[in-house]
Amino acid sequence: MSERGRAWVEHLRRGGTTPWSSFDGGPSGLDDPQEGHLPGAQQLELLRRLNLAGSPSPDLVERVVRASAPGRGRPDLELVGAGPERRFGPRPVDPAALPDAELLRVATGLIALSVVRSAPPPVEPRRPRRWRTRYELVGDPYVATPLTAALAADGRPPGGPGRAVLVLGADLPTMLARVWADRTLRGSVPPWPEFVARVHARDQLPRRVDLAAVAARQRSLPGTGRVSVVLEPHALPGLLGVRTLPTVPPDLTEPAGELARRVATAVSLHVTPPQQADLLERVLLPRLVASDAGPRPVVPPEHRDWVEDAAARLHRDLTRAGYPVVGDPGGVLPGPWESADASPTVLDLAVRLLLDGPWEGVS
Amino acid sequence: MSERVLLHVGTPKTGTSYVQDVLWRNREVLAQAGILYAAERFDAHFLAALDLMELPWGGLQSEAIGAWDALAAQVRAFDGTAIISHEILATASRAQIGRALASLGHGAGTEVHLVLSVRDLVRQIPAEWQENVKHRAQLGYAEFLDEVRDPERATRIGSWFWGVQEVPDILDRWGQDLPPEHVHVVTVPPPGGAPEVLWKRFSQALGLDGVPLDLEQAERANPSLGVPETTLLRRINKRVNAELPPADYRPLVRELLAHQTLSRRRRSPRLALPPDLHPWVSSISSAWIEEVERRGYDVVGDLDDLVGAPPVEQYADPDHPRERQVALAGVDAIKTLLLDDARLRHDVERLQAEVDDLRGALERAYATPSYRLRRAVYLRLESSWLGRTALRGYRRVRGRSTP
């Protein structure tokens, strides 16, 4: 291991922020000459970014230095100029020139381990209340799933004969963003622009937000009472027989969703799919929305015509089928298109999340 | 604690599937010879490698959780020689290799031997592109070659290719803590030789000579495709990737179409290295041969096998195939899909008939006067609080949930 390389590692361990290319070397400050290889350039550059953004804990510093990046990508790279030139293997690099994606691989692996190790105890649901409205929430999964879980924990489990089925909806761009956000937590979705492109290519709405089809499917099931499409969230407490609604997470921004997607894949290396969704919802999601509040993902311009047409078809189907709609049926139509604002990058967000520790139970 | 562990870490496309199939099918024979091939399922070592290297693999990773530690624990607990084999281990990082060797008892008394099977790049390069296409890749051959030749190796394709193919680098990463005599390089013979030669080399490197293994049942898996067949598959990928989930792609495209149908078309032109790339490949191969010789590893076979065959006389470019050949491959693919669809339709019809029979039997049972009376009473009771309370009491007494 080169003296300059070791000195840079120690510099970073002590909170230094000097880039490798500007680091003038000097003694490492260590007494014992250490054998072995330096940590990869990806790990070291991530540590430098953490130092630039805040003060990582000594525990986090060691975790970064010892980390392996999960998934496919470039192997742990050597620092350019840190040692004799090798004839084989990947070329050494200037770590500051590494693309964000390489640093993100390391960061998401670390966040995933934090998520897995800080699993909260399971929630014991309250005993079902004797007098409760029989309901079932379907449609927009980003709202229906956590709302149902919160109501069930409060002694209002869904289902039962004659249940009122509430098909939750919103304007189509919002619903698409929420379907994507929901799927990011399950690790089975491409990045947002590709997701919208695929929906467009299929020319078919995601199953859960094709509200008319959802309502038709629900109506055909035995034991179903009144089926309503709810486009007005303020009406929900009355329909569910509660005074106030449990809080549901705010919409994820595109960087937050992208980070969730990547962390979900890394978490899937450690826990089974049902545990994965639970952990991400209960551990990662609250931290993500706290770290990056902002607008939901914006539909790329090349798909907006299709989204407008699909929303118009949905509006027509809902009106023709004659389902009771709580709110304005035109609420499924897109509003004025917003432009994507300057959000933090996914790497910025990952760094913020790592610095925001401590994660409960992480060792 | 194992006395000896033989760790076969690659490279891909060197007969590894065959070796693993022989080992898997002969687990009991091996055990009688004091050799452990610890596997509850045929892909156990693949799962262990995924776990060690933290690789997502189309959802399969959930079956791999804890697989490496479990495998290493079995190896440590075995008193004898253990064999571990999977080709994706070639791309493990130094940190992962350190963890793997320590978990197998290296440094604590176990003698670890590394086995690396290698084949010339003249065959490996087209084979890797084809393997990518069989794993949903859409990129053309020229694009693949550009990524492989990019010295930065910054793309997914380039970094993976050299991670599993650059022989001196793999040996450097895996063999850094091992004496050279414990590192065994098995070369794949040139094309056209007797197929048993390669097995004899593996047998020697893995210490299997003299073990009465049954080689008849083992499958020489991973059959290769020709030029028009690979092109067809790439075009199919372009059309279906967005809509066909990995769980369906594997059995339908890779198995049914690629392995069971298109690989049987043996008369179409074979994939080859473009003639103009031979000088580049030749310089790399020479450097590898020189380096492996210099390090003093145990070579099983002949390092000159890495030189590869000369350029083919008639090169068939898969990016500009003969469309007639692709169309004929397409017709074969359609035939297979139609026959498979017909088989499934017959299955559906048979199952539908069974469902109809069962439904009829159920309806006849429901049509009895006593059932109708019980049903009417039940519905009446369910409609009132008093009735529901009575039903609960009745169920408690009966000990079941239906009346």
Side-chain angles (χ1 to χ4, degrees):
Chain A
M1 192 189 287
S2 83
E3 184 69 9
R4 182 176 166 230
R6 287 184 63 212
W8 194 53
V9 175
E10 286 313 307
H11 168 75
L12 296 176
R13 275 196 163 116
R14 289 196 297 268
T17 57
T18 310
W20 168 245
S21 59
S22 321
F23 188 69
D24 58 4
S28 65
L30 297 178
D31 297 331
D32 56 326
Q34 198 179 334
E35 290 299 323
H37 291 266
L38 287 173
Q42 297 96 321
Q43 287 84 342
L44 295 174
E45 181 61 18
L46 176 64
L47 180 53
R48 194 179 75 82
R49 303 285 181 97
L50 285 163
N51 290 340
L52 278 169
S55 301
S57 67
D59 171 64
L60 177 58
V61 169
E62 287 314 304
R63 289 175 60 220
V64 175
V65 168
R66 293 171 196 280
S68 273
R72 278 197 190 197
R74 297 169 82 180
D76 293 350
L77 297 165
E78 296 185 4
L79 303 174
V80 65
E85 199 164 314
R86 294 175 65 219
R87 288 178 69 201
F88 305 100
R91 283 182 177 177
V93 293
D94 173 5
L98 283 169
D100 279 7
E102 288 300 329
L103 311 187
L104 258 176
R105 278 179 62 223
V106 181
T108 50
L110 290 166
I111 293 171
L113 274 177
S114 298
V115 168
V116 170
R117 291 174 185 171
S118 51
V123 177
E124 283 297 323
R126 183 182 156 161
R127 200 173 161 190
R129 296 166 190 257
R130 183 183 296 269
W131 306 110
R132 63 179 194 272
T133 303
R134 292 181 193 275
Y135 74 95
E136 184 161 353
L137 297 177
V138 293
D140 180 345
Y142 192 73
V143 179
T145 307
L147 203 50
T148 303
L151 288 166
D154 189 38
R156 302 176 194 277
R163 63 192 175 275
V165 174
L166 306 176
V167 184
L168 307 187
D171 64 275
L172 187 53
T174 298
M175 288 197 291
L176 288 174
R178 287 179 178 167
V179 168
W180 179 71
D182 181 69
R183 291 190 190 169
T184 61
L185 300 174
R186 284 152 236 291
S188 60
V189 70
W192 165 250
E194 203 179 322
F195 168 76
V196 181
R198 284 189 185 186
V199 172
H200 182 178
R202 268 202 293 268
D203 194 20
Q204 201 174 359
L205 288 177
R207 201 174 141 86
R208 293 191 66 170
V209 297
D210 189 350
L211 303 181
V214 172
R217 220 166 31 242
Q218 289 294 326
R219 187 175 268 185
S220 70
L221 295 177
T224 303
R226 184 180 170 88
V227 177
S228 319
V229 176
V230 182
L231 299 175
E232 177 48 72
H234 297 302
L236 270 176
L239 294 165
L240 290 165
V242 295
R243 283 189 188 160
T244 53
L245 272 186
T247 315
V248 293
D251 288 337
L252 281 185
T253 62
E254 188 176 342
E258 179 58 23
L259 184 58
R261 195 182 74 82
R262 288 168 182 255
V263 172
T265 304
V267 166
S268 76
L269 299 165
H270 304 286
V271 297
T272 58
Q275 291 172 305
Q276 173 190 326
D278 181 57
L279 277 174
L280 291 167
E281 278 166 18
R282 295 173 62 201
V283 181
L284 181 69
L285 189 56
R287 287 169 182 272
L288 274 178
V289 295
S291 293
D292 189 31
R296 60 171 190 272
V298 176
V299 174
E302 63 270 29
H303 304 299
R304 289 178 184 173
D305 284 349
W306 180 83
V307 171
E308 283 171 358
D309 290 348
R313 281 198 299 272
L314 182 57
H315 178 235
R316 188 195 60 209
D317 291 348
L318 280 176
T319 315
R320 278 191 190 161
Y323 294 111
V325 175
V326 182
D328 175 12
V332 298
L333 300 172
W337 292 106
E338 298 157 12
S339 58
D341 68 339
S343 303
T345 67
V346 185
L347 181 60
D348 291 339
L349 189 54
V351 164
R352 206 182 289 167
L353 224 59
L354 282 169
L355 287 170
D356 274 352
W359 296 71
E360 294 301 320
V362 174
S363 57
Chain B
M1 180 70 73
S2 281
E3 289 169 21
R4 218 157 63 110
V5 176
L6 295 159
L7 200 48
H8 177 209
V9 300
T11 61
K13 312 302 288 183
T14 56
T16 51
S17 300
Y18 177 68
V19 171
Q20 288 147 17
D21 203 38
V22 169
L23 295 170
W24 157 254
R25 287 173 190 273
N26 287 277
R27 298 188 305 286
E28 289 178 14
V29 178
L30 289 166
Q32 286 162 13
I35 298 171
L36 173 72
Y37 185 69
E40 304 271 310
R41 48 192 274 187
F42 77 98
D43 57 355
H45 294 197
F46 172 52
L47 296 178
L50 290 183
D51 184 40
L52 173 73
M53 295 156 66
E54 299 192 336
L55 280 176
W57 205 279
L60 208 56
Q61 65 270 19
S62 64
E63 296 174 45
I65 296 165
W68 180 268
D69 284 345
L71 176 62
Q74 282 181 278
V75 168
R76 285 197 307 274
F78 185 74
D79 186 17
T81 296
I83 299 177
I84 293 174
S85 172
H86 205 275
E87 57 274 17
I88 64 165
L89 287 167
T91 191
S93 70
R94 289 183 193 279
Q96 290 157 349
I97 290 166
R99 187 191 148 210
L101 293 179
S103 70
L104 296 173
H106 177 60
T110 300
E111 188 178 293
V112 175
H113 288 249
L114 183 75
V115 178
L116 187 72
S117 45
V118 298
R119 192 168 77 147
D120 61 87
L121 281 173
V122 173
R123 283 179 288 176
Q124 293 295 67
I125 289 174
E128 274 285 342
W129 176 63
Q130 184 176 108
E131 205 55 30
N132 271 278
V133 173
K134 285 199 285 189
H135 284 82
R136 311 185 77 130
Q138 301 180 28
L139 83 173
Y141 194 33
E143 197 181 337
F144 172 83
L145 293 170
D146 284 347
E147 294 197 14
V148 165
R149 292 171 70 196
D150 179 0
E152 293 302 322
R153 305 178 185 179
T155 64
R156 186 181 158 91
I157 295 280
S159 62
W160 179 266
F161 178 84
W162 293 109
V164 295
Q165 293 294 349
E166 193 174 25
V167 173
D169 182 50
I170 298 166
L171 291 168
D172 187 35
R173 273 183 281 124
W174 273 101
Q176 59 183 329
D177 284 340
L178 303 177
E181 63 271 22
H182 289 183
V183 177
H184 312 277
V185 179
V186 178
T187 65
V188 177
E196 59 269 23
V197 174
L198 177 59
W199 170 251
K200 282 182 181 166
R201 292 179 182 179
F202 270 120
S203 175
Q204 182 188 333
L206 296 172
L208 301 175
D209 287 351
V211 181
L213 299 172
D214 176 7
L215 305 179
E216 296 302 315
Q217 301 296 318
E219 290 179 14
R220 292 175 192 272
N222 234 344
S224 63
L225 306 179
V227 167
E229 292 79 17
T230 312
T231 302
L232 174 69
L233 206 57
R234 185 165 76 85
R235 292 178 183 175
I236 289 172
N237 289 347
K238 282 185 173 177
R239 285 299 180 93
V240 306
N241 270 0
E243 296 177 56
L244 197 64
D248 292 325
Y249 184 92
R250 272 195 294 272
L252 290 175
V253 182
R254 193 152 78 234
E255 288 306 319
L256 182 64
L257 284 187
H259 289 167
Q260 294 171 30
T261 306
L262 298 174
S263 71
R264 292 186 180 157
R265 295 170 52 84
R266 305 297 302 172
R267 292 199 297 184
S268 52
R270 300 289 96 187
L271 280 176
L273 186 72
D276 62 315
L277 292 190
H278 273 256
W280 169 68
V281 161
S282 179
S283 69
I284 294 173
S285 307
S286 301
W288 288 6
I289 291 169
E290 181 194 322
E291 182 70 10
V292 174
E293 274 175 345
R294 190 186 65 75
R295 292 186 192 172
Y297 299 137
D298 170 39
V299 176
V300 185
D302 186 345
L303 280 180
D304 283 342
D305 292 340
L306 283 175
V307 171
V312 290
E313 286 177 10
Q314 285 193 318
Y315 174 66
D317 182 354
D319 291 346
H320 301 93
R322 290 194 177 175
E323 290 300 336
R324 180 180 151 75
Q325 291 175 344
V326 182
L328 288 172
V331 171
D332 277 359
I334 291 169
K335 177 186 163 189
T336 295
L337 293 175
L338 286 174
L339 291 177
D340 196 56
D341 196 41
R343 181 184 62 78
L344 292 174
R345 283 168 65 88
H346 296 152
D347 280 353
V348 169
E349 283 167 10
R350 181 178 53 75
L351 292 170
Q352 186 62 51
E354 283 179 23
V355 169
D356 290 344
D357 282 352
L358 289 170
R359 191 173 283 155
L362 205 57
E363 278 168 7
R364 285 193 295 280
Y366 285 164
T368 59
S370 76
Y371 176 83
R372 286 207 301 255
L373 177 64
R374 278 183 291 146
R375 171 96 183 141
V377 171
Y378 167 76
L379 290 176
R380 184 69 186 267
L381 288 172
E382 262 288 307
S383 64
S384 70
W385 178 82
L386 194 61
R388 285 196 296 274
T389 308
L391 271 175
R392 272 200 298 277
Y394 172 75
R395 284 176 186 137
R396 210 167 292 134
V397 172
R398 287 283 304 264
R400 64 184 200 195
S401 60
T402 52

